[in-house]
Amino acid sequence: MVSPEDLERVRKIFQNDVFATEAGAVIDEIDDHYAKVSLVINEHHRNAAGGVMGGVYFTLADFAFAVAANWQKIGTVSINTDISFVGVPKTDRITAETELIKDGRSTCCYNVNIMDEVGNPIAAVKFLGFKKN
């Protein structure tokens, strides 16, 4: 893991991801090509049926990918994403955790798993990224 000072520096950089941070996403951990981010679900995250909007899960996964792929060197963007909604959270706090699958010269691939606090899977997301620089 990185130092607490590096984690705070990265949190300040990604405060500029206003959509995700204003939705409530926070960076919990970072490491080499890795991020763990979380969000506390509240009423503005819910749809008309009372469930959590799918966009909340996508936003959290996208934020986790962005942090993992960019905190060491900014310049990677998503060019394809596949999300599968596999469960519903049993807790109000959900977490997205990245797994680097491939880090190529110009592309990368990450899996992001979203789960609740007791480990129930919520969504499985695959990102294909393009390195602009």
Side-chain angles (χ1 to χ4, degrees), residues 53-130:
M53 292 287 294
V56 173
Y57 303 132
F58 184 86
T59 297
L60 191 63
D62 189 46
F63 189 55
F65 163 75
V67 172
N70 285 289
W71 78 265
Q72 292 161 295
K73 181 181 178 188
I74 299 286
T76 300
V77 297
S78 172
I79 57 175
N80 190 59
T81 307
D82 178 53
I83 185 167
S84 297
F85 302 102
V86 297
V88 295
K90 306 290 190 258
T91 63
D92 288 336
R93 184 171 180 268
I94 57 173
T95 301
E97 191 169 9
T98 63
E99 176 189 11
L100 176 65
I101 304 302
K102 172 136 172 89
D103 186 28
R105 185 180 52 79
S106 60
T107 62
C108 60
C109 182
Y110 284 80
N111 284 337
V112 178
N113 292 309
I114 301 176
M115 60 194 66
D116 66 15
E117 286 187 292
V118 293
N120 294 314
I122 308 302
V125 191
K126 180 185 268 184
F127 285 90
L128 180 62
F130 175 72

Side-chain angles (χ1 to χ4, degrees), residues 2-17:
V2 299
S3 71
E5 295 80 21
D6 282 340
L7 180 58
E8 280 308 309
R9 178 183 57 78
V10 170
R11 285 177 175 155
K12 285 182 181 162
I13 291 168
F14 284 94
Q15 284 178 346
N16 291 325
D17 279 9

Side-chain angles (χ1 to χ4, degrees), residues 17-63:
D17 279 9
V18 178
F19 188 84
T21 57
E22 286 190 0
V26 295
I27 302 169
D28 297 322
E29 297 175 21
I30 55 172
D31 206 341
D32 188 32
H33 298 284
Y34 169 84
K36 183 177 182 180
V37 303
S38 63
L39 178 143
V40 175
I41 298 166
N42 60 44
E43 286 309 306
H44 80 271
H45 295 116
R46 299 202 179 273
N47 60 27
V52 178
M53 292 287 294
V56 173
Y57 303 132
F58 184 86
T59 297
L60 191 63
D62 189 46
F63 189 55

